[in-house]
């Protein structure tokens, strides 16, 4: 992993994450994870684990299933990373797992960007990734702004532990 919570590039995003409510963070994280999981499904159509982790996390957030079932699906997504050879796709699997874990705690919210940005660097190289990285961070910020506003008015079913 090439980024941390202390990366200057992520300073503004960290502040937005700190200000966002948990439900908005969940919606944001699962949207981002779904993009990545669909990309992985295109490369590994025989392996549904990233998409399964997202489906389980959505079901957990809505109270349809309990944590142990979702936790296992998330762990299965992380396990997929151990079976892959492509370092960027390994990072993507971990990004999806981190995003899905935001249902458990907001502390996982920065995990998706750290792993996905790592995947971009691994694919594009240090010399060719700057624009892509900066654009992606702006995208994260824009989507978090969107979900922060949308969550206030949306009528979604939330599990009891997320209704606070």
């Amino acid at each position: 992993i090439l980024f941390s919570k202390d990366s200057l590039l992520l300073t503004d995003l960290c502040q937005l994450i700190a200000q966002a409510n948990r439900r908005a963070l969940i919606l944001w994280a699962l949207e981002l994870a779904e993009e990545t999981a669909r990309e992985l499904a295109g490369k590994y159509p025989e392996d549904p684990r990233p998409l399964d982790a997202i489906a389980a996390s959505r079901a957990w957030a809505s109270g349809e299933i309990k944590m142990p079932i979702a936790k296992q699906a998330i762990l299965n997504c992380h396990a997929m990373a151990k079976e892959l050879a492509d370092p960027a796709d390994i990072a993507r699997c971990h990004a999806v797992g981190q995003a899905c874990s935001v249902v458990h705690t907001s502390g996982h919210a920065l995990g998706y960007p750290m792993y996905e940005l790592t995947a971009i660097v691994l694919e594009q190289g240090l010399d060719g990734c700057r624009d892509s990285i900066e654009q992606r961070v702006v995208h994260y910020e824009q989507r978090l702004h969107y979900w922060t506003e949308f969550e206030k008015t949306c009528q979604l079913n939330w599990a009891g532990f997320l209704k606070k």
Side-chain angles (χ1 to χ4, degrees):
I1 188 165
L2 303 175
F3 295 85
S4 75
K5 62 183 171 81
D6 299 321
S7 297
L8 289 176
L9 180 68
L10 300 176
T11 301
D12 291 343
L13 181 61
C14 285
Q15 290 174 348
L16 289 173
I17 288 170
Q19 295 167 358
N21 76 48
R22 190 166 168 192
R23 292 181 305 270
L25 284 175
I26 290 168
L27 294 167
W28 170 78
L30 293 179
E31 175 193 50
L32 295 172
E34 190 160 343
E35 292 174 14
T36 300
R38 293 205 181 285
E39 183 179 345
L40 288 166
K43 290 180 165 183
Y44 310 99
E46 72 291 346
D47 199 332
R49 288 180 283 185
L51 288 170
D52 288 350
I54 293 165
S57 295
R58 286 187 194 284
W60 177 23
S62 68
E64 297 169 30
I65 64 172
K66 298 290 183 187
M67 182 174 99
I69 297 168
K71 181 180 176 182
Q72 187 57 57
I74 293 165
L75 291 173
N76 291 344
C77 182
H78 283 298
M80 179 180 169
K82 295 177 183 175
E83 299 168 16
L84 300 178
D86 182 336
D89 289 342
I90 292 168
R92 285 185 182 93
C93 285
H94 290 307
V96 171
Q98 287 292 310
C100 291
S101 297
V102 173
V103 177
H104 181 250
T105 177
S106 300
H108 289 283
L110 202 55
Y112 178 89
M114 291 187 315
Y115 278 102
E116 192 203 29
L117 295 174
T118 295
I120 293 169
V121 173
L122 292 171
E123 277 189 340
Q124 297 181 7
L126 282 174
D127 294 333
C129 69
R130 184 179 184 130
D131 288 344
S132 296
I133 294 288
E134 289 174 352
Q135 289 171 12
R136 196 63 184 160
V137 171
V138 168
H139 176 75
Y140 299 149
E141 293 168 359
Q142 290 171 340
R143 296 311 297 159
L144 186 50
H145 281 298
Y146 169 81
W147 286 113
T148 298
E149 290 306 310
F150 177 79
E151 188 281 325
K152 294 174 186 174
T153 59
C154 72
Q155 300 296 319
L156 297 175
N157 291 326
W158 292 103
F161 70 95
L162 294 172
K163 289 183 179 179
K164 301 173 187 177

